[in-house]
Amino acid sequence: LRKGFPEVIFGLGKTREQIAGILEKMVPKENVILVTRIDPTTADPLVAHFPDAAYFPDARLLRIQKTAPDITGTGNILVITAGTSDIPVAEEAALTARAMGNRVDTLFDVGVAGIHRLFAHKEMIRQAGVIIVAAGMEGALPSVVAGMVGAPVIAVPTSIGYGTSFGGMTALLGMLNSCASNIAVVNIDNGFGAGYMASSINHVGVDKDTAL
Amino acid sequence: LRKGFPEVIFGLGKTREQIAGILEKMVPKENVILVTRIDPTTADPLVAHFPDAAYFPDARLLRIQKTAPDITGTGNILVITAGTSDIPVAEEAALTARAMGNRVDTLFDVGVAGIHRLFAHKEMIRQAGVIIVAAGMEGALPSVVAGMVGAPVIAVPTSIGYGTSFGGMTALLGMLNSCASNIAVVNIDNGFGAGYMASSINHVGVDKDTAL
Amino acid sequence: LRKGFPEVIFGLGKTREQIAGILEKMVPKENVILVTRIDPTTADPLVAHFPDAAYFPDARLLRIQKTAPDITGTGNILVITAGTSDIPVAEEAALTARAMGNRVDTLFDVGVAGIHRLFAHKEMIRQAGVIIVAAGMEGALPSVVAGMVGAPVIAVPTSIGYGTSFGGMTALLGMLNSCASNIAVVNIDNGFGAGYMASSINHVGVDKDTAL
Amino acid sequence: LRKGFPEVIFGLGKTREQIAGILEKMVPKENVILVTRIDPTTADPLVAHFPDAAYFPDARLLRIQKTAPDITGTGNILVITAGTSDIPVAEEAALTARAMGNRVDTLFDVGVAGIHRLFAHKEMIRQAGVIIVAAGMEGALPSVVAGMVGAPVIAVPTSIGYGTSFGGMTALLGMLNSCASNIAVVNIDNGFGAGYMASSINHVGVDKDTAL
Amino acid sequence: LRKGFPEVIFGLGKTREQIAGILEKMVPKENVILVTRIDPTTADPLVAHFPDAAYFPDARLLRIQKTAPDITGTGNILVITAGTSDIPVAEEAALTARAMGNRVDTLFDVGVAGIHRLFAHKEMIRQAGVIIVAAGMEGALPSVVAGMVGAPVIAVPTSIGYGTSFGGMTALLGMLNSCASNIAVVNIDNGFGAGYMASSINHVGVDKDTAL
Amino acid sequence: LRKGFPEVIFGLGKTREQIAGILEKMVPKENVILVTRIDPTTADPLVAHFPDAAYFPDARLLRIQKTAPDITGTGNILVITAGTSDIPVAEEAALTARAMGNRVDTLFDVGVAGIHRLFAHKEMIRQAGVIIVAAGMEGALPSVVAGMVGAPVIAVPTSIGYGTSFGGMTALLGMLNSCASNIAVVNIDNGFGAGYMASSINHVGVDKDTAL
Amino acid sequence: LRKGFPEVIFGLGKTREQIAGILEKMVPKENVILVTRIDPTTADPLVAHFPDAAYFPDARLLRIQKTAPDITGTGNILVITAGTSDIPVAEEAALTARAMGNRVDTLFDVGVAGIHRLFAHKEMIRQAGVIIVAAGMEGALPSVVAGMVGAPVIAVPTSIGYGTSFGGMTALLGMLNSCASNIAVVNIDNGFGAGYMASSINHVGVDKDTAL
Amino acid sequence: LRKGFPEVIFGLGKTREQIAGILEKMVPKENVILVTRIDPTTADPLVAHFPDAAYFPDARLLRIQKTAPDITGTGNILVITAGTSDIPVAEEAALTARAMGNRVDTLFDVGVAGIHRLFAHKEMIRQAGVIIVAAGMEGALPSVVAGMVGAPVIAVPTSIGYGTSFGGMTALLGMLNSCASNIAVVNIDNGFGAGYMASSINHVGVDKDTAL
Ligand SMILES: Nc1ncnc2c1ncn2[C@@H]1O[C@H](COP(=O)(O)O)[C@@H](O)[C@H]1O
Ligand SMILES: Nc1ncnc2c1ncn2[C@@H]1O[C@H](COP(=O)(O)O)[C@@H](O)[C@H]1O
Ligand SMILES: Nc1ncnc2c1ncn2[C@@H]1O[C@H](COP(=O)(O)O)[C@@H](O)[C@H]1O
Ligand SMILES: Nc1ncnc2c1ncn2[C@@H]1O[C@H](COP(=O)(O)O)[C@@H](O)[C@H]1O
Ligand SMILES: [Mg+2]
Ligand SMILES: [Mg+2]
Ligand SMILES: [Mg+2]
Ligand SMILES: [Mg+2]
Ligand SMILES: [Mg+2]
Ligand SMILES: [Mg+2]
Ligand SMILES: [Mg+2]
Ligand SMILES: [Mg+2]
């Protein structure tokens, strides 16, 4: 039994029956299980049936957690969003990273068109060990954040926007072309991947038996 | 004779002979003439031949100017760049706007990955009547600038970058998706158009006989 | 209290409850509030509940306005459309510009395939201080209008069309490549941004305490 | 021997030797032969060697013509360009259509940003049986022309432009989305195809033995 | 009253009330009226209300026709499709061309993967004055047809296909790159434009008073 | 020593010294070696130095072959091209397949715009065990060929064309959307891959010790 | 009567009545008939009505089969998927190939992120005569499989994924750029085409009267 | 003086004089300076002039290093490439990471089409603290590597390939769609950014005064 390390089921396109079937087998053996991309009507009966289950509607994530995972990660992971519409992606990242044994803080709606909102939190940003930044539209926030710190920044483009935002493609391209260098990018709306990668980073140098 | 208002020749793809021919006809009638997108080997003999001619190699622009144009624009036009590589586009914009009767200031290399560089010039930015911002790569600077002022911002994407910058397309898309609202965008590397549009804006409400 | 200058809520993706909550806090402090991209079923109960509220179904915009804003802008803003299908975007632009203290005229359905319709209004076009042109399909109208005047033209591509109109991308590209120079472009269907930018332009040189 | 109907060789990528070889076989049997997309250094020795050969550098076309072809087409074909840079494509179209037995007129540099230039030629445009319009950048001219006449218009996008003109793609898309209906489009820079198609149209209803 | 020449209303996005309003004004003055892109639920009450009205569900076209238009076009227009799924676009083209005074024949489901089906109709194809070819997927049929005749071919890409057919873009690109030269192309699914252009071609050289 | 089965070096971007170094080690152990995508100036000194070496300039391929490989493939591989410009890609395919122990026939310049050229070779096409079809521009030929036979067809898009041929992308898309079903596609200009895949197909069911 | 060789109806966009009509005519003459891309509500009444009919909901395929087709193909066809979501495409391929007289094995959910799952089946993979690999997301599995064998591999990109998977385009591009050479690719989600092509390959060298 | 932390100059587009000027000012104050994307003819005179300067032609990187930087990073950084053509990008990454105080190992030419090459190095891969994987063409290697370890993987797409590799875009898309979760991606050919990000990751939890 890998203590504290979650099993993850990709919920999209799976029926309630299929997910229930997988969970029945996993629950006896695992401490934490996540089901990502699961909608409320699929999740609600599962929450009712499985003890220790909770559904997070913003993140569209179902979590079964017997005991809170030990904190094994080195530093704090900070999850930032440019707007309020990016919060669901950020929540998916935060929940994933917490399930993997990390301390996680959040800072939402501090996008670049009113940059003073970001600067009001300078200290919190500078203290973070790893930073995740979720942004849609022009996707400029990760560049600004990365320019303020030495820590690694995971940029998550979101599909928020219209017209030439092309479902997040514009944000993605902006992040890949950042003039900051301590940045790497994950797929559009991939909050899960961002949280997982941040946790992986936050466990570099951690004794493998402890972490996993 | 329209006093102070320039004639403009698009130099790209025209031979020295063709440009010389057009200039011979224009020079007697005009006070200021611009030839844009003209390379040094084409421009140098023209500078030698026509009095009052000067070549600006960064902007790749040749100007024949008998007397400095009257300042007819309402406010100051401020031209900002994110990096040093964007300066040629910015210079083309600045020269165009000056030739059309505007006071023009410049502020170069203040891109978002080191945002303190921008904030050191807060006052200058707040005083400007119209602002042009040229940026390549992720093209985030115009959003940040527009969030700091009420003045109209003309965003000029530049073709600076590599890989997924796609010759300026990424910067263009970022600018079109700005979360600021006092922004409009011109074609990639179109410093001339940005300067022209800024001048047009800076002459709104100006008595037409004076301005033109 | 900034007299006459509107607060704006981006309605898309917000529930009626969320919008009502924001409005409750804003209404005591503001003279004019706009909610953009809000559909009728969300808007109707809000209109019933808030005094001074009106819903504009074409523009999909809800406005709460205690007293008409003072006219502080320099000239007239003229909003033109190529077809009748572009009118919703144009109305959003017109309502935004009016809420920001501008005189606004409109001229609809004068697209390039019957160019005499446009020319019948030559005088009105020449008198405008700032012009907004909304067009879908091939997006050619802003070029023609800009060629007729010295005033700045804000081009708004609309998503009207089918097949290779690619949801407004063809119109956008046409506008960015205009052979006229007094043009700048905003995002597809971004009537709000066009009205805002036009107002910003129409207030260049206006004493800031008066305008804002 | 098909009297007056040209043979055509696509010159691009063929060596002088290859073209000479093909011509040696064709010349005895044909009255008119065109070689398209051939550069001057390849063409010059061929002109020197073959009687009745002429090279048109703008159109990059080599023509061998023993006797002028009979005029068999119904009406006049009019070839229009938006700018001066579009002339080479227009010349290729005009030479092709003339070689196929049509009367061809031309009208160059009458683009939409100065629409009065176009309207000065209203009568000539209304008299044409078939119209070809070549334009780059935003490609708006064919729509305007088609809106003025009932005759069929062949739109030829050219690769003239920079930035988001994407080598003619923007002009092409604009033409395909024309709000006029008497328009069809050929490939970017395909002057040959435009001239050929126009001739084909201009021979509808012509007795096939006469025309071919 | 222009005898036999139809008025056309673009139905897409218009309500039944809007269309009824336009029709009320047009009907007294016109012999033939077409409403394109109108769905059955919008069309049915209009058919019930207006005499001489008929709805063509495949083509999604409503026609009001007092008397059959005179045949004024020079030759026969032949409308061909590659598959059965392309028939709606072809029917829209055929109905448009008939309404404009042309004799129209059709030949459906003769695509290139079973080329013998096409060749069985060689004579019919060779006799046509103008040919329209509608095809989706790889869009190869217009090239093959154009290679068999001297007549002009209007190629209409359809949105039929899946995966990399990209809603008709692949067919469109194939048609623009045809190795035949007597081809020009209209927008994806633009049956109306194809029929209109074919009629325009079929009236070249026709006395304007007769045709229009 | 695997008898008759070639080693292959991808020449692109390798210097003459690098290729020579690899060859020195391979030659003692191999019967047939191919170097693909190698230009004449790189190849010529290698041909001079290595016995049994030959350079095929059309295919840009260098071959070192001690003895002709045994024919182990089941049937004949037929390589067809639409135009003459596609021949280099076809030659690369043919040389690759021959080096891998197959009988290979070729049929060049039989594209769809003159379909009778193709049909003149009906018998040869029907006899082939595997068919490779290389075509640029609209890429329609593989569909037509596949519709004539039951044998598997490997379609190779070539970068031949201009404008919207997009360096072979249009041909590629056409081939992927073929309405025939016995077709699969390789990368643009990938003659080597087509020849290799055809040989792999032609050895299905062949005793592995014999073939390899 | 072609024994064992199926007739195929493309079900997409056809009504139950249309399909029933075609089947009524085919059933007396054919041993095996497939209807592809047919949903359950269309299929169920057909299954009830036609003897020997079965519906495969995963593959969305209806099959009428009087007697099992003879096995005429040379080797085994192996159908592999990267994930569980790719199984419907794989099932369509498998059912098609079986209906065409082939032995077909399957191996599902062995994608590259846990490559040991694939390697556990090394022997089965090496024994296959032809291999089909269906994969979405990054589409890497076909390269790995092709690197393990000499047999031909048909790669089928699936539309599984989100964000930059672009409906299967990313998987398609990855497969076309495979660094293995015994690979060719079919359209996105084209399980039918993959099965058909694999059968065509598996019958190379088979006596045509036997196979067809 | 920040001990061991490099200053970096982006060499692309800067002249030798410009770079020399910047270096003259930096050298007295810095221990390590990198100039990236600098070609040999620009670099050679600089190497001759500045003591402690070395040029790395593969990586196109010039380094001035007074003393080797202290190793401050937590674990080993391992740089892997799929092919030999990806080595320049990998070398740029390795030199950057070394200059920033990290132990760096390399493993080249172990791409997925011959997966045994990769597996021969399983232990080395499992020991690494951070992994960089550079790959062009289909870009599948990072997925396979990430599936073998828990450490964070930085994927660098390279522009190696032809046809539909689209200058690295295909590899980039594949990496963004990886079915492994401990992956993040940087811009095409961005070896510098990959090395910088890997170092940033390798210093998480390191006392900031020590590391910087
Ligand atoms: N939201 C998500 N986005 C991308 N990958 C995910 C997501 N959720 C889970 N996964 C991955 O998908 C795997 C499970 O897929 P499955 O076997 O289809 O449930 C997990 O091991 C995760 O690596
Ligand atoms: N750099 C430029 N970019 C875009 N348009 C330009 C540029 N320079 C000049 N123009 C426009 O091109 C027109 C002149 O074109 P031409 O007649 O070809 O010299 C001028 O009136 C300007 O409007
Ligand atoms: N500029 C051109 N663009 C497109 N097609 C052309 C052009 N010039 C010639 N062609 C066509 O190419 C054919 C000759 O091609 P080829 O056999 O390669 O010389 C002619 O019959 C024309 O149909
Ligand atoms: N799922 C499929 N994808 C692509 N082509 C198909 C598919 N199913 C059937 N076909 C092809 O479509 C043809 C029948 O089309 P139809 O005449 O419209 O029923 C068959 O002969 C097959 O070649
Ligand atoms: Mg916000
Ligand atoms: Mg800088
Ligand atoms: Mg209208
Ligand atoms: Mg001009
Ligand atoms: Mg059919
Ligand atoms: Mg040919
Ligand atoms: Mg799985
Ligand atoms: Mg290698």
Side-chain angles (χ1 to χ4, degrees), chain E residues 20-39:
Chain E
I22 306 174
L23 286 178
E24 294 289 5
K25 282 190 218 132
M26 275 185 182
V27 162
K29 293 184 298 193
E30 305 290 341
N31 186 44
V32 184
I33 306 171
L34 305 180
V35 188
T36 63
R37 308 225 160 187
I38 176 171
D39 54 54

Side-chain angles (χ1 to χ4, degrees), chain A residues 113 115 119 138 143 147 164 174 177, chain B residues 113 115 119 138 143 147 164-165 174 177:
Chain A
I115 203 108
F119 289 168
E138 82 266 64
S143 283
T164 55
N177 286 276
Chain B
I115 203 105
F119 289 168
E138 83 265 64
S143 283
T164 56
S165 82
N177 286 276

Side-chain angles (χ1 to χ4, degrees), chain C residues 24-177:
Chain C
E24 293 290 4
K25 283 190 218 130
M26 275 184 181
V27 161
K29 294 182 298 192
E30 305 288 341
N31 186 44
V32 185
I33 305 171
L34 305 180
V35 188
T36 63
R37 306 225 163 189
I38 176 171
D39 54 54
T41 55
T42 311
D44 286 350
L46 297 170
V47 170
H49 179 264
F50 289 96
D52 307 320
Y55 182 64
F56 301 83
D58 262 14
R60 301 172 63 83
L61 185 146
L62 183 154
R63 186 187 69 194
I64 298 180
Q65 184 174 295
K66 297 179 188 167
T67 66
D70 297 342
I71 300 294
T72 50
T74 301
N76 271 26
I77 295 176
L78 175 61
V79 186
I80 301 178
T81 75
T84 55
S85 312
D86 306 314
I87 293 177
V89 173
E91 289 288 12
E92 190 188 28
L95 285 162
T96 300
R98 280 194 194 105
M100 293 176 75
N102 302 280
R103 260 181 312 271
V104 178
D105 299 318
T106 60
L107 181 54
F108 293 160
D109 196 20
V110 293
V112 298
I115 203 106
H116 54 276
R117 294 179 301 177
L118 182 72
F119 290 168
H121 300 274
K122 231 185 231 182
E123 256 338 280
M124 185 189 209
I125 294 168
R126 294 239 166 96
Q127 295 305 328
V130 188
I131 301 175
I132 293 168
V133 186
M137 299 177 80
E138 84 266 64
L141 188 59
S143 284
V144 176
V145 170
M148 295 166 65
V149 299
V153 173
I154 306 298
V156 198
T158 71
S159 54
I160 299 306
Y162 61 92
T164 56
S165 82
F166 294 127
M169 195 63 194
T170 292
L172 171 74
L173 291 172
M175 292 166 181
L176 285 168
N177 286 276

Side-chain angles (χ1 to χ4, degrees), chain A residues 8-11 14 22 36-37 92 190 192-193 196, chain G residues 84-85 109 137 162, chain H residues 179-181:
Chain A
V8 187
I9 301 167
F10 187 53
K14 297 206 172 76
I22 305 175
T36 65
R37 309 226 160 187
E92 190 188 27
N190 191 3
F192 168 73
Y196 194 106
Chain G
T84 54
S85 312
D109 196 21
M137 301 176 79
Y162 60 91
Chain H
C179 41
S181 303

Side-chain angles (χ1 to χ4, degrees), chain D residues 8-10 14 36-37 92 190 192-193, chain E residues 179 181, chain F residues 84 137 162:
Chain D
V8 188
I9 301 166
F10 187 52
K14 298 207 171 74
T36 65
R37 307 225 162 189
E92 190 188 27
N190 191 2
F192 167 73
Chain E
C179 41
S181 303
Chain F
T84 54
M137 302 177 79
Y162 61 92

